Amino acid sequence: MTQPPDNQATTPDPTADKLDPAVLKVAGVVVLGAIMSILDITVVNIALPTFQAEFETSYAIAAWTITGYTLALATVIPLTGWAADRFGTKRLYMAALTFFVLGSVLCATAWNIESLIAFRVIQGIGGGMLMPLGMTIMTHAAGPQRVGRVMAVLGVPMLLGPICGPILGGWLIEFHWQWIFLINLPIGAIALVLAYIVFPADKPEPTESFDFLGMLLASPGLALFLYGVSSIPGEGTVLATKVLLPAIIGAVLMVAFVFHALRTEHPLIDLRLFRNRVLTTAVLTMVLFAIAFFGGALLLPTYLQQVRGESALTAGLLLIPQGLGAMITMPIAGKLVDKIGPGKIVLVGITLIALSTVFFTRLAVDTPYPAMLGALFVMGLGMGCTMMPIMTAAIQTLSHQQVARGSTLMNIVNQTAGSIGTATISVVLTNFLNNQEFAKPAIAANVSPEFASKVPPGVVEVGLSQAATAFSHTYIVALVLIVLTLVPAFFLPRTKPKNPELADAVAAVHV
């Protein structure tokens, strides 16, 4: 039997129920960085209508401030494992944090939508490494026997994001939209100092050569494919050059990467992990769920501001029940996963999300707020039973040597699917709005007092009703995707996870 590397701590006591103070300090710093990264996504969700008005652009183009960010995350995550070995996890984490804060400051200086999208990409390059590096640092600190407890700690940012993000974003936009990015400067500075003090020093131990060809295939391939998908609205006669051509080239590059990765000893993304059936099932579930959920998450803040005429702050406050629901079920789900497996829990979560989404497929211009808040609370209950149990389902079946590669793969899947979901839902909504004769002028009149005098009141009333219909029809697309998620989720494990030591031994036999 092979001995663990010297840089890994001896196996922790599997009977220990709590993380020791040293690990909790490391976890606190990691969570602070993760909160900043996740909050940045939810904060910008609430700011999309503001970007549309500020830069006089369409919803689909404004949504690229989110798509570009998550795409950058997905592009840089595969580099994290190699870079951590080459430069050390502590040093790389601090560098990524610095890059994220620098990108945030640049975003605040944006002068048009194109520059904002470009600076969001820079911000995403730094933000993309924070979560996988944080997971690696925490796993090394806690030991493989306590991965489940570590994942529970990392669930904290996912609880705070849906609650604090919309509120913080709405409040900051009341001052000026630049503050949603400048707020990262003091938080990032604190996180940087704490990381320097708390994180244990580690020496770079390069073990693998960098898969340069894989990077040239995977990153541009994904970027071109998503660019093509997101360029569908309004392209008309240039459909072939701005949509089909980039999408086809991107798809070809990604297929080429698959063949390359399966023939390379140390690929950028380790596709051999898909030999693990549980991980494969978890990935399929995560893909469909992330596309549906993160894409649909854009809809309600935009509806509240553009159709109901609410301020960004009010829209953020109205989203609180969703976060409260997740706060209730996530810790319960985390404990149950260790006892009965993730399968039953995830099925319950997806069912709750689907039921609540049915309500939003009937959105109207005068949908009662109490009913809407109740549906959001049910959706939050489903959230808490879904994402972290899916991630845990994948990680629990991996050997200690596979955990870093598996967490990297799941983060790539999560961010990439989120990008696809954002692009898909924004395309669908834009097309539905374009098919409604008075929707766009009515929305413009509803959010802009200067434009309101130019649109007859009757047109505004009819147009807002048409716009609400466009949002409800878009929710139908999200509902279909959520229901499809039930198929792979049905095959997730429904029994208590095996002893981690036994899982390591089994994995070693099959690797």
Side-chain angles (χ1 to χ4, degrees), residues 67-432:
T67 303
Y69 177 83
T70 53
L71 177 57
L73 261 64
T75 301
V76 77
I77 286 172
L79 310 178
T80 306
W82 171 84
D85 288 341
R86 178 67 178 82
F87 303 105
T89 52
K90 178 177 181 177
R91 188 182 304 173
L92 186 62
Y93 186 93
M94 295 178 66
L97 195 58
T98 302
F99 215 73
F100 177 83
V101 173
L102 175 62
S104 300
V105 174
L106 288 174
C107 286
T109 68
W111 55 93
N112 56 29
I113 193 64
E114 291 80 11
S115 62
L116 179 58
I117 293 171
F119 293 148
R120 283 281 287 169
V121 170
I122 294 175
Q123 188 186 32
I125 292 173
M129 289 190 176
L130 292 179
M131 183 64 82
L133 279 173
M135 290 177 68
T136 301
I137 292 170
M138 288 180 64
T139 301
H140 287 169
Q145 305 281 10
R146 296 184 285 184
V147 169
R149 299 180 188 93
V150 168
M151 295 297 289
V153 173
L154 282 177
V156 173
M158 299 185 64
L159 291 175
L160 296 178
I163 299 175
C164 301
I167 300 173
L168 179 63
W171 179 64
L172 293 173
I173 288 172
E174 294 291 320
F175 297 96
H176 205 285
W177 65 265
Q178 281 96 336
W179 281 104
I180 67 175
F181 299 112
L182 290 176
I183 191 67
N184 289 328
L185 184 58
I187 299 176
I190 294 172
L192 194 62
V193 172
L194 291 177
Y196 178 78
I197 296 172
V198 173
F199 286 168
D202 59 334
K203 296 181 180 180
E205 296 182 2
T207 57
E208 301 177 1
S209 59
F210 179 61
D211 183 14
F212 189 73
L213 177 59
M215 185 191 70
L216 293 180
L217 291 173
S219 298
L222 183 59
L224 286 170
F225 180 78
L226 289 179
Y227 174 78
V229 171
S230 298
S231 300
I232 290 175
E235 294 303 336
T237 57
V238 294
L239 179 68
T241 56
K242 287 202 70 175
V243 177
L244 295 180
L245 186 60
I248 291 173
I249 294 175
V252 169
L253 288 174
M254 287 190 289
V255 170
F257 172 77
V258 172
F259 285 101
H260 163 76
L262 294 176
R263 297 180 180 182
T264 303
E265 184 179 0
H266 301 297
L268 189 68
I269 305 172
D270 190 358
L271 300 182
R272 296 183 185 89
L273 290 175
F274 285 112
R275 294 172 181 170
N276 183 319
R277 285 183 295 178
V278 175
L279 181 137
T280 301
T281 303
V283 166
L284 290 175
T285 307
M286 179 64 77
V287 167
L288 290 173
F289 173 76
I291 290 174
F293 185 78
F294 289 110
L298 300 175
L299 294 175
L300 195 59
T302 307
Y303 161 85
L304 290 171
Q305 294 176 73
Q306 293 188 342
V307 177
R308 303 299 287 264
E310 303 291 355
S311 67
L313 177 58
T314 301
L317 291 171
L318 288 171
L319 295 177
I320 288 178
Q322 182 172 313
L324 292 177
M327 180 175 289
I328 291 173
T329 54
M330 186 172 286
I332 298 173
K335 293 180 180 178
L336 289 177
V337 165
D338 290 334
K339 295 181 179 180
I340 63 174
K344 297 175 184 177
I345 299 167
V346 173
L347 285 173
V348 169
I350 294 173
T351 301
L352 289 173
I353 293 173
L355 290 174
S356 60
T357 305
V358 169
F359 171 84
F360 292 106
T361 63
R362 302 178 63 84
L363 271 183
V365 72
D366 57 352
T367 299
Y369 279 162
M372 191 182 301
L373 297 179
L376 280 172
F377 180 73
V378 173
M379 182 175 288
L381 293 175
M383 283 173 55
C385 296
T386 309
M387 180 164 292
M388 293 312 292
I390 294 174
M391 295 282 284
T392 303
I395 299 301
Q396 278 183 332
T397 61
L398 299 178
S399 68
H400 179 66
Q401 290 76 16
Q402 293 175 321
V403 166
R405 288 179 287 165
S407 62
T408 296
L409 178 62
M410 291 302 291
N411 274 281
I412 293 169
V413 167
N414 189 24
Q415 298 298 341
T416 302
S419 297
I420 294 174
T422 300
T424 301
I425 294 301
S426 63
V427 165
V428 172
L429 176 61
T430 299
N431 283 335
F432 279 138

